[in-house]
Amino acid sequence: MARPRKYVIMLTEDEYKKLKSIISKKATSKTIRCRCQILLDLDESHGKILTHEQSARSNGVCLATVTNTITKYINGGVDAVTEFKRSINSDNARRKVDGRVEARLIELACGPVPEGHSRWTIRLLEEESRVILETPVSREAIRNALKKTNFDLTKTTTGASPQKRTRNS
């Protein structure tokens, strides 16, 4: 015998229409679409009611997703279910090195090397970027930007190829 449901979902007409409209939009992500469909499947005031297992199977998600979606709805309503709550520390947080800064760094690294140096180093680029850019950029941010664009600092700008060492036998 199954355990009785802890939460009963009874959607109002407005919530029902809102969920239906979100599902029908092209721009809606798969995650939000699945969450909305779970709520519609388990709604007791509008038509056929599915069990948690049936809803999970029909939406292609695990049972924990169904439970988490129901808990989100009970605690925050439809708005909590239909939006992502992202951490400020996530990868989507604002980056210091955007496209313009990245372009300036590459332009600087492709340019002439400062006098007294044979090539650009990350530290030299950091010092020079403090002068050129309005926001300070760390060495690690410069390194990541150059790595992302496959820019190689080890190439010499004079065009001379490094000599091969041969072993005397």
Side-chain angles (χ1 to χ4, degrees):
M1 188 164 113
R3 188 172 60 184
R5 291 185 184 185
K6 185 175 180 182
Y7 299 115
V8 177
I9 297 179
M10 303 281 282
L11 295 173
T12 63
E13 278 297 319
D14 291 338
E15 290 174 334
Y16 184 80
K17 287 178 184 175
K18 184 175 182 179
L19 291 174
K20 281 288 199 182
S21 71
I22 289 172
I23 288 175
S24 65
K25 290 180 184 174
K26 276 188 175 181
T28 305
S29 70
K30 183 180 177 185
T31 305
I32 299 296
R33 190 172 283 135
C34 279
R35 289 179 187 174
C36 293
Q37 189 60 51
I38 289 168
L39 287 179
L40 292 173
D41 289 346
L42 301 175
D43 179 27
E44 294 188 6
S45 61
H46 294 92
K48 184 178 163 187
I49 307 163
L50 298 179
T51 64
H52 290 210
E53 293 82 13
Q54 290 170 336
S55 179
R57 215 174 302 119
S58 69
N59 290 305
V61 295
C62 65
L63 197 56
T65 304
V66 174
T67 307
N68 291 338
T69 302
I70 293 168
T71 307
K72 271 186 187 175
Y73 172 72
I74 296 298
N75 292 335
V78 174
D79 292 334
V81 174
T82 59
E83 62 188 30
F84 289 115
K85 189 174 183 182
R86 299 225 168 133
S87 170
I88 58 169
N89 296 325
S90 71
D91 291 339
N92 295 329
R94 203 166 152 230
R95 301 180 325 178
K96 282 197 173 187
V97 179
D98 59 353
R100 289 188 302 255
V101 172
E102 208 169 272
R104 295 293 306 266
L105 285 172
I106 293 170
E107 180 185 343
L108 182 64
C110 289
V113 180
E115 199 171 305
H117 297 279
S118 61
R119 64 182 177 89
W120 282 104
T121 63
I122 301 288
R123 290 187 191 259
L124 277 173
L125 285 171
E126 180 190 20
E127 290 171 10
E128 197 66 29
S129 68
R130 284 190 190 141
V131 175
I132 294 174
L133 303 173
E134 59 272 355
T135 57
V137 180
S138 69
R139 282 194 316 270
E140 186 65 16
I142 293 170
R143 186 190 70 78
N144 284 332
L146 295 177
K147 181 179 179 182
K148 187 175 91 174
T149 58
N150 291 329
F151 189 82
D152 191 9
L153 285 176
T154 59
K155 293 179 184 174
T156 56
T157 57
T158 59
S161 61
Q163 295 178 355
K164 292 183 180 178
R165 289 186 181 183
T166 56
R167 191 172 158 198
N168 293 337
S169 33

